[in-house]
Amino acid sequence: MQSFRTELENPIVERDIIELERKIQLFREGKIDEEKFRSLRLARGIYGQRQQGVQMVRIKLPYGKVSTEQLERICQVSDEYSRGNLHITTRQDIQIHYVSLDRTPELWAELEKDDITLREACGNTVRNVTASSMAGIDPAEPFDVSPYAQAAFEYFLRNPVCQEMGRKVKIAFSSSESDTAYTFMHDLGFIPKIKLIDGKEVRGFRVMLAGGLGSQPYLAELAYEFLPVNQVIPFAEAVLRVFDRYGERTKRHKARMKYLLQDLGLEGFMKLVEEERISIKNKVYEIDGTVANEIVPPAVINLPDFEILDWVKYEKWLTTNVYKQKQVGYFAVGLKIANGDIKTPVARKLIDIIKELATDEIRLTISQGMILKYVPAQHLPYLFYKLDLLGLAEIGFESTADITSCPGTDTCNLGISNSTDITKELEKVIYEEYPEFIYTNDVSIKISGCINSCGQHAMAAIGFHGSSLKKDKLVLPALQVLIGGGVLGDGLGSVADKVIKVPSKRGPDVLRYLLNDYQENREQGEYFLSYYQRKGKIYFYDLLNPLADLSKVTEDDFIDWGQTAPYVQAIGVGECAGVAIDLVATLLLDSDEKVAKAQEAFEKADYSDSIYYSYTSFINTAKALLTSEGVKTNTQSCIVKDFDVNFINQGKLKLSVGFEELVYQINKNEPEADFAAYYLDQARGFTALIKEYRESVLVQ
């Protein structure tokens, strides 16, 4: 494993990978706490899998953009370290499964040769920044949001503000008011706007705040009607600082930004955001909005002889999978990827097709598909022909027949019932029995293997999540049916209602009941969401209730989709939210590491980062002492207050000022050299003081 150390050009990345290798070794030797190690590997995109002894590795691809060279590199890595399958996620990442933990540093080093990272793809960090897959070519977009999504990705990668938050944070950029990136379900969502100011067109965003799905979905609230583009990064950084300080850390189910917003109220939350403005690194952050417009379209080539055997399918494909770009004469082509899974031999052949017939920029979609861009009109018939040979010309891209699903019980620890095989069954029902729905995306269908909504079931017109039911003393796999979710546009959305739970094997009949009823009883031109709202939840409960009758279960109902043996509910411990680290020694070690990083940042004149590392050192050190004396902590702000109450006010420790006054100088000072030096010195002294106190207590 020595080769990657000399081949990588980026010393920061090289250090990251070497640190991962070192921590894996320490973990194997029993010298590092398991919970601490888990937190570290999650922040490097390495996630525990349902199968023991192997890992899922999540590859972070900002807004789903990937070149053919990068895709080839990912294929090589999957073949070498995994099983030759690429799984596209609803956050525009690629996951590979069944990877040995010991080989992950080497795998990461291979990816970085083509500027691909694993960093912060999992854990309590800013996850992959997503964006509309049509960004840059969308005829309805005010401007291309891709450069702004890229800037957000780069700014927060390795940023000390968001390395160890209470939970993950998700950011999305939509290309237009149609909100195809679903900003309403994100912690930070941005919708592009153009505003006329002093006779000039100014770019900005409508900003949505603190949305989320999970077990308790919450629609994002409007933070700004119009925020100039040069304020996007400063605002986001201030929001992350507030979440880091005041967000819940002990109760994982309450540790998302949406709960903090509910507790504080929008006005209270925004007041704290404004108070952070003085301490952030950049008060204004300019972003070059022209960078993403430098794409070179492919040259029109002389096509070889070929024969399309199914012209009817070709015409359907043109209708459902091909979109006019805002660039005249060019088209985007959607590829429907079943369950988001594509084998490496197929991906490699696709790479050859793209190099010949499209531009070298693939976009992965949040519906687990792919978008090819800048296809000249003359190339479309031949492109269809080539894709059809690969099985990638399936009609119905992003239609009702294009169902989103997470891996479920195939690989995920939290999966309760199968989501991939039921997806295939439901798509089969649509293609064979309801072909008219291949041409519409009005009725979206999404499936998750558990309640956590990785498959985004809570925002689907018809959603399902894995569950279970009891019949006498036996357990059978089940699906919770949700209805009525969807995108309303411009940052607004509708969350699906939980309607009824049915045995999993009756999922296809649920779909038949709903589509039949919709076709028979809707009014002229009425969309499904309007139809659901008009009829109401009780109506649909009554409609589906016969399918929930357990008096008529058969032996087949006790066998999940894709299985042959009777169902056994087996749920592991999830890692999506990261872990809480409460061991005193580990916290003090963390404090030392943060002080060292603060010193390093200071020497590079990166004073804002230095200050934040010092701040985190204060928090970890105080938490260590509180933990050692049995005081429970759940937020950083509580740690600060409780330390004063339990140690300073009782005279156990003496500081020149109260601990709260000392620590909260962070948001009362500009991030300049003098303050950074002072704050670092205070953090270093505080850590030494607490260690001395801790040792004196242990001696007693």
Side-chain angles (χ1 to χ4, degrees):
M1 294 183 63
Q2 299 298 315
S3 59
F4 71 82
R5 299 189 183 189
T6 57
E7 291 178 12
L8 292 179
E9 296 180 359
N10 189 328
I12 297 174
V13 172
E14 184 178 46
R15 187 172 64 179
D16 254 358
I17 296 173
I18 291 171
E19 181 188 17
L20 175 62
E21 181 190 31
R22 183 171 63 87
K23 292 293 176 66
I24 290 174
Q25 184 64 33
L26 291 172
F27 173 68
R28 294 297 192 202
E29 295 172 357
K31 296 178 181 178
I32 186 172
D33 174 70
E34 183 176 0
E35 298 301 296
K36 170 64 177 174
F37 176 70
R38 183 185 303 176
S39 177
L40 180 136
R41 67 171 165 77
L42 283 171
R44 275 99 182 135
I46 304 164
Y47 188 97
Q49 203 170 296
R50 193 179 191 92
Q51 294 78 10
Q52 292 296 310
V54 290
Q55 313 291 318
M56 176 272 282
V57 172
R58 183 176 293 152
I59 299 167
K60 196 173 186 181
L61 299 165
Y63 56 100
K65 178 183 175 182
V66 59
S67 68
T68 54
E69 185 177 18
Q70 288 175 320
L71 186 57
E72 172 60 37
R73 176 68 65 181
I74 295 169
C75 286
Q76 291 174 10
V77 162
S78 182
D79 287 341
E80 172 66 23
Y81 301 92
S82 180
R83 298 183 175 183
N85 184 68
L86 313 180
H87 177 72
I88 303 169
T89 77
T90 55
R91 294 210 63 76
Q92 300 172 297
D93 299 303
I94 287 178
Q95 293 177 175
I96 58 176
H97 296 84
Y98 300 97
V99 178
S100 165
L101 175 63
D102 293 330
R103 301 193 73 192
T104 53
E106 183 183 349
L107 177 155
W108 187 1
E110 286 298 311
L111 289 172
E112 287 285 358
K113 290 176 183 177
D114 281 306
D115 197 25
I116 306 167
T117 190
L118 309 181
R119 181 74 193 227
E120 294 150 52
C122 305
N124 301 331
T125 60
V126 172
R127 298 292 184 85
N128 197 26
V129 176
T130 59
S132 299
S133 55
M134 291 284 285
I137 59 176
D138 183 356
E141 68 184 18
F143 56 86
D144 185 3
V145 301
S146 304
Y148 305 96
Q150 179 70 31
F153 162 77
E154 292 176 358
Y155 189 86
F156 292 114
L157 189 70
R158 296 184 178 86
N159 192 310
V161 173
C162 45
Q163 294 305 298
E164 299 173 30
M165 297 182 292
R167 284 290 296 272
K168 56 193 172 187
V169 166
K170 297 181 177 180
I171 301 174
F173 289 79
S174 275
S175 61
S176 70
E177 291 183 0
S178 60
D179 202 7
T180 52
Y182 311 147
T183 60
F184 62 89
M185 51 157 273
H186 282 78
D187 297 285
L188 284 165
F190 299 93
I191 302 168
K193 301 286 181 181
I194 297 286
K195 188 174 183 180
L196 202 62
I197 300 177
D198 297 329
K200 294 182 179 180
E201 289 189 345
V202 177
R203 291 182 175 187
F205 290 96
R206 191 172 204 254
V207 183
M208 308 306 297
L209 178 66
L213 294 180
S215 59
Q216 294 181 291
Y218 186 79
L219 296 174
E221 297 195 29
L222 179 64
Y224 289 102
E225 282 285 1
F226 185 86
L227 183 70
V229 291
N230 62 10
Q231 287 297 309
V232 167
I233 296 298
F235 172 70
E237 181 177 349
V239 167
L240 292 177
R241 283 171 171 261
V242 169
F243 179 57
D244 193 33
R245 187 167 305 143
Y246 298 98
E248 173 67 45
R249 289 172 178 268
T250 302
K251 302 172 184 175
R252 289 195 340 184
H253 64 287
K254 289 289 187 182
R256 290 297 300 273
M257 194 182 295
K258 59 187 177 183
Y259 297 110
L260 179 60
L261 181 67
Q262 291 172 53
D263 290 342
L264 297 173
L266 179 61
E267 185 178 347
F269 191 103
M270 293 297 285
K271 182 176 182 293
L272 291 175
V273 168
E274 287 305 311
E275 290 174 358
E276 289 297 318
R277 293 280 190 168
I278 190 173
S279 60
I280 59 178
K281 185 185 299 186
N282 299 285
K283 308 300 186 288
V284 174
Y285 193 85
E286 300 293 347
I287 299 168
D288 185 353
T290 66
V291 173
N293 298 324
E294 298 172 355
I295 293 173
V296 178
V300 177
I301 64 171
N302 293 321
L303 301 176
D305 291 335
F306 66 96
E307 182 181 1
I308 293 177
L309 299 178
D310 190 343
W311 281 98
V312 172
K313 182 178 180 182
Y314 173 66
E315 293 298 328
K316 291 179 179 178
W317 178 80
L318 287 177
T319 301
T320 64
N321 293 48
V322 179
Y323 306 86
K324 282 185 178 180
Q325 295 186 185
K326 69 180 184 181
Q327 295 83 5
V328 177
Y330 294 102
F331 293 83
V333 175
L335 306 186
K336 182 179 179 295
I337 310 295
N339 289 127
D341 291 323
I342 182 168
K343 300 296 183 182
T344 53
V346 176
R348 284 194 172 92
K349 291 177 181 177
L350 175 62
I351 288 170
D352 292 337
I353 293 172
I354 293 169
K355 287 179 177 179
E356 183 180 22
L357 301 173
T359 196
D360 190 7
E361 184 185 295
I362 309 159
R363 292 289 179 97
L364 309 180
T365 75
I366 55 178
S367 59
Q368 300 175 290
M370 292 182 175
I371 288 276
L372 310 186
K373 301 167 64 176
Y374 286 90
V375 179
Q378 300 95 314
H379 288 183
L380 287 171
Y382 186 53
L383 177 61
F384 169 80
Y385 166 77
K386 299 282 282 186
L387 291 174
D388 204 27
L389 291 177
L390 280 182
L392 293 179
E394 192 74 38
I395 63 173
F397 176 73
E398 293 193 341
S399 70
T400 300
D402 193 357
I403 298 174
T404 302
S405 65
C406 70
T409 51
D410 288 353
T411 54
C412 180
N413 275 323
L414 292 178
I416 299 175
S417 64
N418 184 284
S419 52
T420 54
D421 285 274
I422 179 62
T423 294
K424 296 171 186 175
E425 291 297 322
L426 296 182
E427 288 188 351
K428 182 179 177 182
V429 168
I430 296 166
Y431 280 110
E432 294 181 358
E433 302 175 34
Y434 304 90
E436 61 272 32
F437 284 94
I438 297 169
Y439 302 94
T440 177
N441 58 8
D442 172 34
V443 185
S444 60
I445 304 174
K446 299 178 185 293
I447 304 174
S448 302
C450 72
I451 200 171
N452 284 319
S453 210
C454 292
Q456 301 175 341
H457 62 264
M459 51 163 290
I462 301 172
F464 301 91
H465 78 68
S467 190
S468 62
L469 284 166
K470 261 195 160 183
K471 170 62 176 174
D472 299 326
K473 293 184 178 180
L474 299 175
V475 180
L476 63 156
L479 292 169
Q480 174 67 57
V481 181
L482 301 94
I483 309 177
V487 183
L488 301 179
D490 211 17
L492 302 178
S494 176
V495 173
D497 293 325
K498 289 184 179 180
V499 175
I500 200 167
K501 191 185 294 187
V502 303
S504 289
K505 285 297 178 69
R506 300 178 189 177
D509 282 335
V510 168
L511 184 58
R512 293 185 181 99
Y513 276 40
L514 291 173
L515 295 183
N516 287 341
D517 184 78
Y518 177 46
Q519 289 180 316
E520 292 169 6
N521 299 308
R522 66 179 174 182
E523 295 177 353
Q524 183 67 31
E526 187 174 33
Y527 289 114
F528 185 84
L529 180 54
S530 299
Y531 178 66
Y532 174 76
Q533 291 171 341
R534 177 167 64 86
K535 288 291 191 177
K537 178 179 176 179
I538 300 302
Y539 172 85
F540 287 92
Y541 174 85
D542 291 339
L543 174 70
L544 298 176
N545 194 41
L547 296 176
D549 184 0
L550 296 186
S551 66
K552 300 177 182 178
V553 295
T554 65
E555 288 186 11
D556 190 50
D557 285 317
F558 289 94
I559 300 174
D560 205 357
W561 292 102
Q563 305 298 314
T564 55
Y567 172 77
V568 176
Q569 187 178 28
I571 308 172
V573 177
E575 296 184 338
C576 293
V579 293
I581 306 169
D582 289 324
L583 296 177
V584 176
T586 302
L587 286 165
L588 291 174
L589 178 62
D590 276 349
S591 294
D592 289 337
E593 289 181 355
K594 294 299 185 297
V595 166
K597 288 183 177 180
Q599 180 65 43
E600 182 180 343
F602 183 84
E603 291 170 358
K604 293 178 180 178
D606 198 343
Y607 303 125
S608 178
D609 284 3
S610 175
I611 292 165
Y612 211 86
Y613 281 126
S614 296
Y615 164 77
T616 309
S617 173
F618 277 124
I619 297 298
N620 284 350
T621 304
K623 183 177 180 180
L625 200 52
L626 288 166
T627 301
S628 72
E629 300 205 2
V631 180
K632 294 182 178 180
T633 59
N634 62 338
T635 67
Q636 290 183 350
S637 59
C638 284
I639 289 170
V640 173
K641 291 179 181 178
D642 289 345
F643 192 86
D644 269 334
V645 169
N646 288 274
F647 294 100
I648 305 303
N649 296 349
Q650 294 184 26
K652 295 180 180 179
L653 287 165
K654 290 184 178 181
L655 298 173
S656 59
V657 295
F659 187 60
E660 184 171 3
E661 183 179 347
L662 173 62
V663 172
Y664 284 166
Q665 292 179 74
I666 185 174
N667 60 359
K668 295 177 176 60
N669 289 272
E670 295 281 352
E672 296 174 346
D674 287 348
F675 176 66
Y678 162 78
Y679 204 58
L680 172 57
D681 184 62
Q682 292 297 308
R684 186 182 286 114
F686 181 71
T687 301
L689 175 66
I690 298 311
K691 285 182 178 179
E692 182 181 341
Y693 174 82
R694 173 71 176 154
E695 289 172 5
S696 68
V697 171
L698 291 175
V699 169
Q700 296 175 4

